[in-house]
């Protein structure tokens, strides 16, 4: 007897599932991939991390760099910081960045409000707070509402590449992945560099 068991899905997991299916059915979703050489970022982080931790009481991760870079890109390409309502594109002139984090009941996306006004330490503290509250179940509905763009990090699960699904009504989501040493050509020479694939899914 092989048997089977059943588990009732939580209300939150059902809601997330429905939203993601809706996004796939209603958006003309495309994912584009790029690879980036993380050498400069990792070198800077290595040089500054001890002083950063001493000054701010939090580690210097890579997420804050990507939040800052994303905001710069969203300023240059404002349609990606927008949403579609009927036959109109609604442009957001603020940057509320959703940060996807794993929780027991499934992935949740709490939002860093006015992220363009935050320093690196504030971003890192915000992300750490989200992760802690996702773990203990104390995130509120207000924490999860109103993001204009989302960043998700499959690299924490060891993923080399993925195709992120839009977080509706947003029209863009950036997926980060595992940093891996790879052989790449640089100025006619093959060298080993820490490389990461980025995936941008957008409508």
């Amino acid at each position: 007897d092989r048997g089977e068991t059943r588990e009732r899905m939580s209300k939150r997991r059902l809601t997330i599932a429905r939203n993601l299916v809706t996004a796939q059915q209603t958006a003309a979703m495309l994912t584009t991939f790029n690879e980036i050489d993380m050498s400069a970022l990792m070198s800077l982080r290595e040089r500054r991390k001890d002083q950063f931790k001493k000054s701010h009481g939090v580690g210097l991760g890579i997420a804050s760099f990507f939040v800052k870079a994303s905001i710069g890109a969203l300023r240059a390409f404002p349609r990606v910081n927008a949403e579609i309502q009927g036959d109109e594109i609604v442009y957001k002139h603020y940057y509320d960045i959703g940060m996807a984090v794993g929780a027991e009941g499934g992935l949740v996306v709490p939002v860093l409000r006015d992220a363009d006004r935050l320093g690196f330490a504030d971003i890192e503290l915000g992300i750490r707070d989200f992760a802690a509250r996702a773990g203990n179940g104390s995130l509120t509905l207000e924490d999860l509402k109103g993001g204009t763009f989302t960043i998700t990090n499959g690299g924490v699960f060891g993923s080399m590449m993925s195709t992120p699904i839009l977080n509706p009504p947003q029209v863009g989501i950036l997926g980060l992945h595992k940093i891996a040493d790879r052989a790449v050509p640089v100025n006619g020479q093959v060298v080993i560099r820490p490389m990461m694939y980025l995936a941008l899914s957008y409508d």
Side-chain angles (χ1 to χ4, degrees):
D1 180 19
R2 292 175 296 169
E4 59 185 36
T5 58
R6 295 172 184 250
E7 175 189 357
R8 185 171 295 279
M9 293 173 69
S10 68
K11 187 175 179 181
R12 183 172 72 184
R13 183 171 280 185
L14 277 169
T15 301
I16 292 168
R18 287 181 183 132
N19 286 346
L20 295 179
V21 169
T22 298
Q24 289 182 306
Q25 292 173 341
T26 59
M29 192 160 55
L30 174 70
T31 302
T32 184
F33 297 95
N34 287 280
E35 63 176 357
I36 56 173
D37 183 342
M38 296 287 288
S39 300
L41 190 156
M42 293 176 72
S43 175
L44 173 62
R45 181 171 170 257
E46 188 63 32
R47 292 195 311 271
R48 299 291 180 88
K49 68 178 184 179
D50 292 339
Q51 185 58 46
F52 188 90
K53 181 80 178 280
K54 186 177 178 182
S55 299
H56 303 290
V58 65
L60 179 60
I62 67 166
S64 50
F65 289 92
F66 281 97
V67 170
K68 290 287 191 182
S70 294
I71 291 166
L74 294 172
R75 284 187 167 128
F77 300 95
R79 286 186 178 183
V80 189
N81 196 51
E83 67 178 72
I84 295 172
Q85 292 181 3
D87 61 355
E88 294 183 327
I89 300 173
V90 180
Y91 294 90
K92 308 297 177 69
H93 303 297
Y94 52 91
Y95 304 90
D96 288 351
I97 306 299
M99 299 299 298
V101 294
E104 188 175 336
L107 204 65
V108 291
V109 187
V111 178
L112 287 168
R113 309 284 171 195
D114 295 314
D116 55 314
R117 302 180 188 178
L118 301 178
F120 280 79
D122 295 323
I123 293 169
E124 293 291 349
L125 286 164
I127 293 169
R128 187 171 75 169
D129 176 60
F130 288 155
R133 292 196 291 131
N136 64 30
S138 64
L139 285 171
T140 68
L141 203 54
E142 196 58 36
D143 292 322
L144 307 174
K145 285 168 57 177
T148 63
F149 182 79
T150 292
I151 299 173
T152 183
N153 187 358
V156 297
F157 304 112
S159 299
M160 289 292 292
M161 193 179 288
S162 67
T163 53
I165 301 173
L166 291 175
N167 184 26
Q170 297 171 24
V171 297
I173 179 170
L174 180 69
L176 314 181
H177 297 94
K178 178 182 176 182
I179 301 168
D181 285 344
R182 290 206 298 275
V184 294
V186 177
N187 298 324
Q189 300 290 320
V190 176
V191 297
I192 303 297
R193 291 288 173 87
M195 304 296 290
M196 178 198 282
Y197 290 120
L198 293 182
L200 177 67
S201 292
Y202 59 97
D203 188 339

